[in-house]
Amino acid sequence: MNRQTDLSATEQLTDKNQESPKISKQRLKAIFGGSVGNLVEWYDWYAYSAFSIYFSSSFFPSGNLTAQLMNTTGIFALGFLMRPIGGWMFGRIADKVGRKQSMTLSVLLMSMGSLLIALTPTYKTIGLVAPVLLLTARLLQGLSVGGEYGVSATYLSEMATKNRRGFYSSFQYVTLIGGQLIALGIQIILQRVLTEDQLVSWGWRIPFVIGAILSVVALYLRKSLHETKAFEAQKSKKDSGTIRELLKHPRAILTVVGMTLGGTLAFYTYTTYMQKFLINTVHLSKGDATLLSFFSLLIFALLQPVFGTLSDRIGRKPLLIGFGVLGAIFTVPLLTTLSNTTSQWSAFFLLLAGLIIVSGYTSINAIVKAELFPAQIRALGVGLPYGITVAIFGGTVEYLALWFKKIGHEPYFYWYITTCIFLSLVVYVFMRESKETSKLNEDPEN
């Protein structure tokens, strides 16, 4: 009897240890290496948006600020068109050749784009060739970052321990936001070291040179990463990484599109576009707008693991529904009040409120998408439908916002975001709890 009791206790302890394994040094190194590479990629991507307030006049004929910003944000939007192609190309490489190889290649491509922007002469020097080269560089970056999202989400999800997937995968957005923070941090430093004329003339090139150098560092880190066991177990399968295999999962594809729709609009509104909104609508100085963006994003980044941990306890679905409900109710009031505020502190807290709401989506969207697909199609399944949705909706945020402002109906943009968040809310309500039905549970553990 005692022996049976002892065996039962031992089995329970073993089961408990299996449910809560300690994370190994190898796993930590893999998550760190994957995350740092992600940070560098997104720094390069966001540096364009952050510094476009200074270089827009260098690539386009003189005009009013809104028109010049529309030209640069138009190229920003076109860069997004490459993201579905990047999601397909790098997702296929990741599912057929390996996650590590795909992530290494994407960083290399991003460094090429950043270096090209840094070295491109101005419109006054080479005329129309200047914006063409800027567009070429941005297309290269769009191709790279389009592949980065799906592959890094897959890699981090597969490397995370079962009961901490929400926590560890949330670091994708910690580093994603971190990339933007570094871009804004460099901007704050340059705003204090250089004059406005120097920044407009040549200072804006500095962050792109830094981005190219950082990409080399990320390239080194990623070359030393270990491949996931989930990939190793399925790499010999015939249909790994093919569109034909992906189409066998229509519900998962539509879920990715639906959950991304409102989330990507809200994210790009409160992060990438907000700096221009604070300057162009709230009428803050460039320096004040940069500072507000920096500190609100810093808190936003710190919130991601908190929400990720919460999802490990209560599930992913409650957080997504929370974002959908609060986003649908408060987007118009928040942005309307923000547009009319005259206080920097009010602007800061309103912006922070929006980012807290968005955290219900950003912290866990990567892991939810990874949990929907089996290993042989996971990187492509996460990256391609996400890339298509972000290209259509996320990539046009800045351009649409500025266009509505230009025609005198800026509030229409607030209602547009609200409508899209509500559509995503419908998806959140009817989707299954991915934590309980996760395809990651079918993978061998690292």
Side-chain angles (χ1 to χ4, degrees), residues 149 256 259-260 361 365-373 382 386:
Y149 176 87
V256 171
M259 70 178 292
T260 302
Y361 164 80
N365 80 93
I367 182 63
V368 172
K369 292 163 188 171
E371 288 174 327
L372 295 173
F373 297 94
V382 174
Y386 167 83

Side-chain angles (χ1 to χ4, degrees), residues 234-252:
Q234 61 79 40
K235 64 181 180 181
S236 60
K237 292 184 177 180
K238 184 179 179 181
D239 288 333
S240 293
T242 63
I243 296 293
R244 180 173 60 184
E245 184 66 23
L246 176 62
L247 292 176
K248 293 178 182 179
H249 306 274
R251 179 169 181 168

Side-chain angles (χ1 to χ4, degrees), residues 91-99 231 234-235 237-242 376:
R92 181 174 173 81
I93 293 171
D95 288 328
K96 292 190 74 69
V97 182
R99 320 309 195 200
F231 168 75
Q234 61 79 40
K235 64 181 180 181
K237 292 184 177 180
K238 184 179 179 181
D239 288 333
S240 293
T242 63
Q376 71 264 29

Side-chain angles (χ1 to χ4, degrees), residues 11-28:
E11 289 171 355
Q12 289 177 4
L13 182 60
T14 301
D15 289 342
K16 185 176 180 181
N17 288 336
Q18 288 176 345
E19 289 175 4
S20 304
K22 290 183 179 179
I23 190 161
S24 65
K25 289 183 179 179
Q26 178 180 321
R27 199 189 301 266
L28 279 173

Side-chain angles (χ1 to χ4, degrees), residues 174-199:
V174 172
T175 52
L176 190 155
I177 300 161
Q180 190 167 2
L181 282 171
I182 294 175
L184 290 173
I186 290 173
Q187 187 174 54
I188 290 170
I189 293 171
L190 292 178
Q191 285 172 339
R192 278 150 179 73
V193 174
L194 302 177
T195 65
E196 179 92 3
D197 289 341
Q198 287 173 328
L199 276 167

Side-chain angles (χ1 to χ4, degrees), residues 114-248:
S114 291
L115 193 59
L116 182 57
I117 294 176
L119 299 178
T120 297
T122 64
Y123 181 87
K124 289 182 179 179
T125 304
I126 58 173
L128 288 174
V129 178
V132 170
L133 288 176
L134 180 66
L135 175 60
T136 301
R138 198 58 184 169
L139 294 179
L140 287 175
Q141 289 187 324
L143 190 67
S144 171
V145 83
E148 174 66 22
Y149 176 87
V151 182
S152 63
T154 297
Y155 186 80
L156 290 174
S157 300
E158 291 177 349
M159 278 294 182
T161 54
K162 180 179 178 180
N163 64 327
R164 303 295 301 279
R165 286 173 184 155
F167 172 74
Y168 286 111
S169 66
S170 71
F171 281 91
Q172 181 178 30
Y173 264 77
V174 172
T175 52
L176 190 155
I177 300 161
Q180 190 167 2
L181 282 171
I182 294 175
L184 290 173
I186 290 173
Q187 187 174 54
I188 290 170
I189 293 171
L190 292 178
Q191 285 172 339
R192 278 150 179 73
V193 174
L194 302 177
T195 65
E196 179 92 3
D197 289 341
Q198 287 173 328
L199 276 167
V200 171
S201 178
W202 56 268
W204 60 266
R205 297 183 186 273
I206 295 174
F208 296 104
V209 174
I210 293 173
I213 295 171
L214 288 176
S215 294
V216 175
V217 176
L219 183 65
Y220 170 77
L221 288 172
R222 285 192 163 177
K223 287 184 72 173
S224 64
L225 293 179
H226 292 277
E227 190 54 84
T228 68
K229 288 185 179 179
F231 168 75
E232 295 290 352
Q234 61 79 40
K235 64 181 180 181
S236 60
K237 292 184 177 180
K238 184 179 179 181
D239 288 333
S240 293
T242 63
I243 296 293
R244 180 173 60 184
E245 184 66 23
L246 176 62
L247 292 176
K248 293 178 182 179

